Amino acid sequence: MHGIVKTRIAFSALLLYKELLRRRRLLALALLIALFFLASSSLSLRSLCFRVLGTRLVGGVRSEVTMAGGAVVAGGEGKEYPGKLTLFVLLTCVVAATGGLIFGYDIGISGDVNPSICGVTSMDSFLRKFFPEVLSKEKANKSTNQYCTFDSPLLTIFTSSLYLAALVSSFFASVVTRVFGRKWSMLGGGLIFLIGSALNGAAINVSMLIFGRIFLGIGIGFANQSVPLYLSEMAPARLRGMLNIGFQLMITIGIFAANVINYGTAKIEGGWGWRVSLALAAVPASIITIGSLFLPDTPNSLIERGHPEAAKEMLRRVRGTDDVYEEFSDLVAASEESKMVKHPWKNILKRKYRPQLTMTILIPFFQQLTGINVIMFYAPVLFKTIGFGDDASLMSAVITGVVNVVATFVSIFTVDKLGRRKLFLQGGTQMLISQAIVGTLIAIKFGTSGQGQIPKGYGYVVLFFICVYVAGFAWSWGPLGWLVPSEIFPLEIRSAGQSINVSVNMFFTFIIAQVFLTMLCHMKFGLFYFFAGWVLIMTIFIALFLPETKNVPIEEMISVWKAHWFWGKFIADEDIHVRGDHVGSADLHAKA
Ligand code: BGC
């Protein structure tokens, strides 16, 4: 552990002891929390406890796995292969990341989570054409209750159909990605999304609209399944976080662009503005479709599909050096093992894959339980009550949208230096605090009745904390929710694992979209505390159970799990093969 951190922990512990003696419980509690985060950002809390107790726990204290050939891989400290960041790899990753645009554009254009507030479903002309009964009910709804706005199950189901389509299609995408390569899934995703945008832009009835939406969903399922994998495999280990987060950056740009476009098209007289918004989805779809035509496949996938020479050539190109022997032979070893696995779906349930399986289910689940989509989509309601009037949705979209995009850069530049855990823990703490403050500020003004007025100054304070929350998400759970699941699986089940990630993400976005307005109406400001509670749980979960994966070569990630105090016991020594060799427990503790 770093010396400064050690000193800080010791100092905090001393203060804590003094406060406890003086019976100042609140201060002691605050110090305890500070101590917890200081400790957990360096190593897991459990290993700290065991260290304090003098217990030597298997893999508990930052143990390292010695690989064949003497290279050492430990949690957060990777083995380094020769090579540099080439223009070629940078360009391919930028092009592949544009796959995130279609997802982001859809989130922004349709107002997926809260259709009555933003997106095309808030345009009268759109509702008049496809959902006239919704429009008349909406007009008749004169309630001033800030918690219980108009809720239309029909519209919610319509917007959510996309998530269900994405959920199912990601399983098909998993087969395409594994058998034919990552590139073809991306291309397929772009093409299908393109068809969806044409159907939606030209829609003359509800069925055409729903068909179009299902196509959009399938496209997103394919792109979200393959793009994060592609990026994680293409990138050199020490820059994997940065290049992978390009995907989340494109999502945030897509959301922002769509919101601004929507604002403009809503003003088009003649009632066809919604067509423009929906049809413009063809732009991001064309970018990824045409882009992926030119993309090479990843060396990992080339080897997996039996093209070792092409893979070696590709590796030379992407790493910008001829000295790729070591990395190449590790990829071949990973592929040899992957060949032994014929049924990824059956295998993923094996005990040795339990750590990765748990993460790929819980990380997207937690990502949606941060409440990001609720806060982002509830923001315009607040803006209206603050007094922005008709410009509320634009103002809200611009402010939260810009914060979302800009804050994503923070993770791009820090994720490979600070690591995933620190961002998760810092971002989580920031979201927790800001969410609790927003809940309290709203409770003070609207109480449990939902009636009240927010003065402008007060409104700006709420807005400030919403932005603090969005920033916290944008450099933690947003990007890491896509990065971590894509980098933790061994080759043989990576594609299957990523589809679970996508489908869990889509499923919970769908569930939250279905119930959020009802929850707001019943739980009132408590909804913010509800999500804050979840953020607390997930932050503690990360502190205890997620090992650091920064800089570790993707095909050697198994060693990180083996070295973890909890997950280590799920992986037998013989499960770890590197370049065909076994790593024994003696090696495992060689540097502990
Ligand atoms: C999430 C979306 C969210 C977006 C916000 C993504 O990572 O999956 O649900 O709307 O971030 O930027």
Side-chain angles (χ1 to χ4, degrees):
M1 200 188 339
H2 200 285
I4 297 175
V5 180
K6 262 188 192 167
T7 322
R8 278 190 205 152
I9 293 178
F11 186 62
S12 310
L14 192 76
L15 282 178
L16 175 66
Y17 176 68
K18 272 174 63 185
E19 294 309 334
L20 274 174
L21 281 186
R22 286 196 217 152
R23 291 171 183 268
R24 279 201 247 166
R25 292 203 191 98
L26 256 178
L27 249 178
L29 185 69
L31 279 167
L32 191 67
I33 295 173
L35 190 63
F36 171 80
F37 283 110
L38 264 177
S40 57
S41 64
S42 253
L43 67 171
S44 85
L45 185 67
R46 168 85 176 257
S47 58
L48 174 77
C49 298
F50 276 91
R51 196 169 234 204
V52 169
L53 294 173
T55 309
R56 195 160 178 277
L57 185 77
V58 179
V61 188
R62 202 182 171 80
S63 51
E64 294 169 346
V65 179
T66 308
M67 295 299 176
V72 168
V73 178
E77 303 297 335
K79 154 182 178 178
E80 277 213 19
Y81 297 121
K84 52 182 191 266
L85 176 67
T86 56
L87 186 63
F88 180 70
V89 87
L90 189 67
L91 282 179
T92 51
C93 286
V94 168
V95 172
T98 57
L101 282 177
I102 58 176
F103 183 37
Y105 190 81
D106 182 77
I107 296 174
I109 217 69
S110 54
D112 283 344
V113 174
N114 189 347
S116 61
I117 293 171
C118 48
V120 286
T121 45
S122 67
M123 296 183 191
D124 284 1
S125 52
F126 177 83
L127 292 177
R128 197 170 299 121
K129 183 154 183 68
F130 299 107
F131 303 93
E133 66 293 353
V134 172
L135 184 66
S136 48
K137 270 197 200 156
E138 207 174 71
K139 296 272 179 234
N141 179 39
K142 297 270 179 280
S143 163
T144 51
N145 188 323
Q146 299 295 332
Y147 297 126
C148 303
T149 54
F150 176 72
D151 180 11
S152 158
L154 188 65
L155 265 187
T156 316
I157 288 170
F158 158 74
T159 49
S160 299
S161 62
L162 175 138
Y163 290 93
L164 294 179
L167 188 162
V168 176
S169 70
S170 71
F171 291 101
F172 292 96
S174 139
V175 181
V176 177
T177 303
R178 185 177 194 219
V179 179
F180 300 103
R182 284 75 175 125
K183 172 191 165 106
W184 297 108
S185 275
M186 288 191 261
L187 182 74
L191 262 180
I192 299 170
F193 196 90
L194 197 59
I195 299 173
S197 54
L199 281 173
N200 269 353
I204 46 170
N205 53 35
V206 181
S207 355
M208 207 164 153
L209 207 59
I210 292 182
F211 254 114
R213 237 178 129 58
I214 291 175
F215 272 91
L216 295 183
I218 300 175
I220 290 176
F222 269 77
N224 288 15
Q225 198 276 341
S226 49
V227 172
L229 283 196
Y230 183 92
L231 295 170
S232 284
E233 288 183 345
M234 213 55 166
R238 63 180 190 285
L239 295 171
R240 190 174 56 236
M242 178 181 115
L243 293 175
N244 182 292
I245 294 179
F247 178 65
Q248 173 72 12
L249 182 68
M250 293 294 174
I251 296 179
T252 60
I253 293 175
I255 298 177
F256 179 67
N259 280 329
V260 175
I261 287 173
N262 242 353
Y263 181 77
T265 58
K267 293 203 179 316
I268 293 179
E269 285 179 19
W272 45 270
W274 59 268
R275 272 196 203 282
V276 180
S277 289
L278 293 181
L280 277 179
V283 175
S286 309
I287 297 178
I288 180 66
T289 308
I290 298 172
S292 57
L293 272 177
F294 296 97
L295 286 180
D297 225 327
T298 66
N300 317 50
S301 175
L302 285 168
I303 295 181
E304 191 183 25
R305 290 179 296 115
H307 309 292
E309 280 315 307
K312 199 190 277 171
E313 201 35 55
M314 184 53 58
L315 209 52
R316 286 199 188 109
R317 252 188 112 182
V318 291
R319 301 287 176 254
T321 170
D322 283 343
D323 185 9
V324 292
Y325 174 76
E326 201 184 355
E327 185 169 4
F328 179 71
S329 49
D330 284 353
L331 292 187
V332 170
S335 153
E336 290 301 309
E337 259 183 71
S338 104
K339 288 208 184 86
M340 290 188 269
V341 174
K342 289 277 169 288
H343 305 287
W345 290 106
K346 220 164 85 191
N347 273 275
I348 206 167
L349 298 174
K350 282 193 174 158
R351 187 179 158 82
K352 63 174 174 175
Y353 299 131
R354 206 58 50 81
Q356 297 95 324
L357 184 62
T358 309
M359 291 299 160
T360 208
I361 293 173
L362 285 186
I363 289 181
F365 165 75
F366 283 147
Q367 192 206 49
Q368 289 308 314
L369 265 284
T370 56
I372 179 65
N373 287 320
V374 171
I375 292 249
M376 290 227 307
F377 291 100
Y378 184 63
V381 178
L382 287 170
F383 282 61
K384 257 187 202 140
T385 58
I386 293 168
F388 283 115
D390 283 346
D391 283 341
S393 53
L394 177 72
M395 287 304 291
S396 146
V398 169
I399 297 173
T400 53
V402 167
V403 171
N404 200 13
V405 175
V406 173
T408 306
F409 279 101
V410 173
S411 60
I412 289 186
F413 292 116
T414 57
V415 70
D416 294 308
K417 292 188 192 81
L418 296 176
R420 287 63 166 150
R421 281 172 54 82
K422 280 196 183 126
L423 285 179
F424 263 131
L425 297 176
Q426 190 287 330
T429 313
Q430 181 169 323
M431 288 160 79
L432 172 67
I433 296 170
S434 47
Q435 220 159 15
I437 294 178
V438 170
T440 309
L441 290 174
I442 291 176
I444 293 171
K445 283 296 165 196
F446 295 137
T448 47
S449 68
Q451 307 291 339
Q453 282 289 319
I454 288 191
K456 241 194 167 117
Y458 196 92
Y460 281 117
V461 178
V462 178
L463 172 63
F464 171 76
F465 284 105
I466 288 185
C467 290
V468 173
Y469 167 86
V470 171
F473 176 87
W475 62 58
S476 63
W477 282 90
L480 300 175
W482 295 104
L483 165 64
V484 174
S486 76
E487 66 179 5
I488 55 176
F489 279 97
L491 188 59
E492 61 269 24
I493 50 163
R494 190 171 298 145
S495 189
Q498 180 64 6
S499 356
I500 298 179
N501 177 33
V502 174
S503 50
V504 174
N505 196 308
M506 296 299 141
F507 181 70
F508 284 100
T509 311
F510 164 76
I511 294 289
I512 289 180
Q514 293 290 321
V515 299
F516 131 70
L517 281 182
T518 318
M519 278 173 86
L520 183 66
C521 191
H522 289 103
M523 294 173 73
K524 306 180 169 70
F525 58 85
L527 186 62
F528 295 93
Y529 295 140
F530 170 80
F531 286 122
W534 276 105
V535 174
L536 179 66
I537 294 173
M538 61 188 84
T539 306
I540 294 174
F541 173 83
I542 294 291
L544 293 177
F545 296 107
L546 186 78
E548 183 53 66
T549 49
K550 76 164 180 189
N551 299 345
V552 179
I554 191 164
E555 303 305 351
E556 290 180 12
M557 211 50 89
I558 183 89
S559 58
V560 168
W561 298 108
K562 181 68 183 160
H564 188 263
W565 69 270
F566 179 76
W567 298 118
K569 50 184 181 264
F570 287 81
I571 300 155
D573 286 352
E574 56 274 15
D575 290 333
I576 303 186
H577 305 254
V578 177
R579 278 191 246 147
D581 291 330
H582 291 245
V583 178
S585 56
D587 284 340
L588 180 69
H589 291 291
K591 299 243 176 179

